[in-house]
Amino acid sequence: MTTVDSDTAIPSLAGVASLVSERGTVETPTKVDVRGLSFYYGDMRALEDVSIQIPEKQVTAFIGPSGCGKSTFLRTLNRMNDIIPGVRVTGTVLIDGKDIYGASTDPVTLRQHVGMVFQKSNPFPKSIFENVAYGLRINGLAASKTELADRVETSLRAAALWDEVKDRLSASALALSGGQQQRLCIARALAVEPEVLLMDEPASALDPIATQHIEELVFQLKTNYTIVIVTHNMQQAARVSDRTAFFWLGKLIEFDLTSRMFTAPTAKLTEDYVTGRFG
Amino acid sequence: MTRRQRNHWLDLALHGAGLGATLLGLGVLAALLFDIFSDGFGRISWDFLTSFPSRRAENAGIYAALLGTLWVITLTAMLAVPVGIGAAIYLEEYGGRGRWSRIVEINIANLAGVPSVIYGLLGLGLFVRTLALGRSVIAGAATLALLALPVVILSSREALRAVSPALREASYALGATKWQTIWHQVLPVALPGILTGMILALSRTMGETAPLITIGALTYVPFAPDGIWSPFTVLPIQVFNWVSRPQEAFLANAAAGIIVLLALLLVMNGFAAWLRDRYQH
């Protein structure tokens, strides 16, 4: 049964993945260095001793079955979990060598540098312009009205949305389609010029065309940003990422170049998962 | 009778009972309105609205009570709304979800159900005597603000709680502080709900008689309030005063006073609906 799956699915994936591996083999500096991270919701341990080095200006994908901790882990990287009561983190997360859980790190400042895009697009119930301008305003990143307008435009262009919305910037963001809303959320995150962009299943609620737009965007954005993307969709991980991490029951099982993860994984669990034997 | 027929009849019977209950409520309201309008509508005139009370029913008017109500309710809103919204923001956003928070919540809900005359006694002891505000507009407004406060807090809290967590996360993820998130994202979305609760609380407060009589609001006031230290009366007290007179003509005045109070409530609720629509788009 399952061999049929792997015979049909894997060769096509491997074809895509091998293109990525050409780039992936180049050694790049580490942007996010996580050492021995465990995470608890109350008494429940959601992550156990995770260590991973996420390379700069590449796309790293987190895959794994539901509840494996991949989203929780993503949210430890910008301390988004801090707003949930009763959680606890142990271990260290270094971004550019600085411990983000250290006493001198302010989570508010951290989140300017580590942006986030959520699974369900969540534009503010304001105009398209105001959605992108919000982050610039609260962080005091634009000195004048013209600078603000310029930076909003730059961000919308970077998120490949400018041409679709340039004539209706004052229209409500909620009037956009699902895919456009998600790209608006990406534009909004890019506006504050983060260095790392975390994406939590950004295309899971979108149709195939909108998904393709997002994936193309991710591919372009890695020139300037370190991207970490959580996805349920293994083809997506294979298409967009340079490296893939496989999580299972709160543990990081394997982390390697995406091409290797999908063709010759070391762990039996990884192989079973990427070939569709469970999950 | 088959089971199916029985269910059918049961369905019809419940439908009928529900309809009956609704019609009963509406019928009582209609009878009340009809009674009041037939007694009092003839008395409504410009003179009635702009005259001070009088010993002669046909010369008596509602001006002092109408202005008294407007003064008191405006001041009540100015006191209860900022404090109520502030408390709601604290409890909902900063207060946490622990045992202490639950105890506070239950107590506020209980306060909303305390008979209004108790607030009158509190107002008499605290504002009129201890703080020596006397039987003034400010003492009345402060007493009514205490009465309105629990309702404002509860409804504001509910409106804040209904704001999607995704919106807060989006704001935090852009490097916003807690206060920036509350001020720029949460409050605007919660505003329609907060306004609705506020107007409902104020409407209820506007009809209150007992607490104001308890603090010693006057029942015969031949002058309009000229400031927050002025003695005053309000519409329900004026109506109460007229109803207790033996003469027929004063009963007509009472009915006319009720019509004025109802009209004021209608205007306020209309304003609330308008505000709500405006902020929802």
Side-chain angles (χ1 to χ4, degrees):
Chain A
M1 280 298 286
T2 42
T3 48
V4 178
D5 272 5
S6 50
D7 281 341
T8 53
I10 292 306
S12 63
L13 278 183
V16 179
S18 68
L19 293 173
V20 177
S21 74
E22 308 286 332
R23 281 178 287 271
T25 46
V26 180
E27 267 314 304
T28 50
T30 297
K31 182 75 178 175
V32 183
D33 186 356
V34 182
R35 293 178 195 165
L37 183 124
S38 293
F39 184 87
Y40 303 82
Y41 289 108
D43 293 331
M44 210 261 304
R45 183 161 60 186
L47 290 169
E48 188 181 340
D49 197 23
V50 175
S51 296
I52 189 171
Q53 279 77 45
I54 295 169
E56 188 170 28
K57 293 186 182 169
Q58 289 201 354
V59 179
T60 301
F62 292 172
I63 60 169
S66 296
C68 68
K70 57 193 188 303
S71 284
T72 300
F73 182 59
L74 190 75
R75 293 163 61 97
T76 61
L77 302 182
N78 66 344
R79 293 185 62 175
M80 209 57 192
N81 290 317
D82 286 24
I83 60 177
I84 305 168
V87 303
R88 193 159 58 83
V89 181
T90 61
T92 51
V93 179
L94 306 171
I95 294 183
D96 291 331
K98 192 173 174 232
D99 183 3
I100 65 165
Y101 284 91
S104 63
T105 304
D106 174 19
V108 171
T109 319
L110 169 72
R111 292 185 198 123
Q112 287 172 33
H113 299 293
V114 184
M116 189 162 205
V117 175
F118 297 85
Q119 178 174 5
K120 201 167 167 296
S121 62
N122 52 358
F124 301 124
K126 297 172 187 276
S127 71
I128 294 168
F129 185 90
E130 283 304 321
N131 261 276
V132 184
Y134 177 65
L136 297 167
R137 287 192 210 275
I138 55 168
N139 294 310
L141 292 176
S144 65
K145 279 200 162 177
T146 32
E147 195 189 344
L148 186 70
D150 283 349
R151 292 188 65 159
V152 168
E153 178 177 341
T154 313
S155 309
L156 285 168
R157 281 188 193 281
L161 190 60
W162 174 253
D163 290 331
E164 291 159 63
V165 301
K166 63 182 175 199
D167 301 320
R168 47 173 177 152
L169 289 174
S170 56
S172 169
L174 302 179
L176 297 173
S177 73
Q180 289 172 326
Q181 286 191 10
Q182 195 59 298
R183 275 179 285 149
L184 179 65
C185 291
I186 295 174
R188 181 173 73 181
L190 295 179
V192 295
E193 297 190 344
E195 293 151 38
V196 181
L197 189 61
L198 310 175
M199 305 177 105
D200 192 355
E201 301 189 41
S204 67
L206 302 178
D207 63 56
I209 305 281
T211 301
Q212 196 191 341
H213 280 154
I214 301 280
E215 288 181 8
E216 282 163 2
L217 187 55
V218 168
F219 204 80
Q220 290 162 19
L221 289 175
K222 73 171 178 178
T223 328
N224 296 312
Y225 303 92
T226 301
I227 295 176
V228 186
I229 182 167
V230 166
T231 178
H232 259 315
N233 179 330
M234 277 177 282
Q235 282 88 340
Q236 184 172 72
R239 283 193 297 263
V240 303
S241 70
D242 301 294
R243 280 160 210 257
T244 298
F246 171 59
F247 286 83
W248 189 70
L249 295 180
K251 288 186 190 145
L252 175 61
I253 303 297
E254 190 167 355
F255 176 50
D256 208 333
L257 293 173
T258 299
S259 51
R260 249 180 262 153
M261 286 288 280
F262 282 94
T263 52
T266 318
K268 179 79 171 60
L269 265 172
T270 314
E271 190 185 336
D272 286 352
Y273 186 72
V274 298
T275 54
R277 242 163 258 174
F278 77 97
Chain B
M1 219 192 284
T2 65
R3 187 194 173 85
R4 200 192 166 109
Q5 277 170 321
R6 233 185 6 255
N7 280 339
H8 178 71
W9 284 112
L10 193 67
D11 204 34
L12 271 185
L14 277 175
H15 184 110
L19 185 68
T22 310
L23 287 180
L24 187 72
L26 285 176
V28 169
L29 189 67
L32 210 65
L33 283 177
F34 177 79
D35 188 45
I36 287 165
F37 273 82
S38 63
D39 285 351
F41 197 69
R43 277 294 287 134
I44 299 280
S45 65
W46 188 246
D47 276 348
F48 181 73
L49 292 177
T50 56
S51 297
F52 290 107
S54 163
R55 277 183 295 120
R56 285 188 298 279
E58 65 277 14
N59 289 349
I62 201 126
Y63 187 63
L66 183 58
L67 279 185
T69 285
L70 291 176
W71 268 94
V72 169
I73 213 68
T74 308
L75 224 63
T76 302
M78 284 163 68
L79 292 170
V81 170
V83 178
I85 296 176
I89 289 175
Y90 174 76
L91 290 171
E92 194 53 37
E93 307 286 337
Y94 293 91
R97 292 279 174 280
R99 213 173 114 166
W100 188 81
S101 157
R102 273 207 310 282
I103 292 172
V104 170
E105 181 162 4
I106 290 168
N107 277 294
I108 291 176
N110 282 337
L111 278 180
V114 168
S116 59
V117 68
I118 310 277
Y119 285 98
L121 289 172
L122 177 63
L124 179 66
L126 182 62
F127 300 123
V128 178
R129 303 237 170 97
T130 310
L131 297 178
L133 301 176
R135 307 159 153 200
S136 59
V137 170
I138 183 75
T143 306
L144 291 185
L146 287 182
L147 186 71
L149 204 50
V151 184
V152 173
I153 294 175
L154 288 178
S155 56
S156 302
R157 244 192 118 167
E158 218 145 279
L160 290 171
R161 195 174 300 173
V163 176
S164 145
L167 203 65
R168 297 166 202 262
E169 286 197 334
S171 178
Y172 287 130
L174 291 169
T177 61
K178 189 158 194 162
W179 176 245
Q180 285 170 330
T181 300
I182 293 170
W183 182 252
H184 293 289
Q185 305 299 344
V186 177
L187 271 182
V189 174
L191 202 58
I194 292 176
L195 286 175
T196 310
M198 178 190 103
I199 303 264
L200 285 178
L202 290 177
S203 301
R204 184 201 151 186
T205 309
M206 204 157 74
E208 283 294 344
T209 322
L212 294 181
I213 290 186
T214 313
I215 67 157
L218 303 175
T219 49
Y220 184 85
V221 180
F223 53 83
D226 58 1
I228 62 170
W229 306 109
S230 173
F232 69 102
T233 192
V234 291
L235 288 169
I237 293 183
Q238 183 64 68
V239 168
F240 176 70
N241 175 262
W242 279 333
V243 163
S244 53
R245 303 276 186 103
Q247 299 93 327
E248 233 1 75
F250 276 112
L251 292 183
N253 281 0
I258 291 171
I259 293 172
V260 172
L261 185 56
L262 284 177
L264 206 56
L265 283 172
L266 210 64
V267 169
M268 266 176 74
N269 286 323
F271 183 61
W274 178 77
L275 272 180
R276 213 162 51 223
D277 278 357
R278 207 184 114 112
Y279 280 104
Q280 254 162 2
H281 303 303

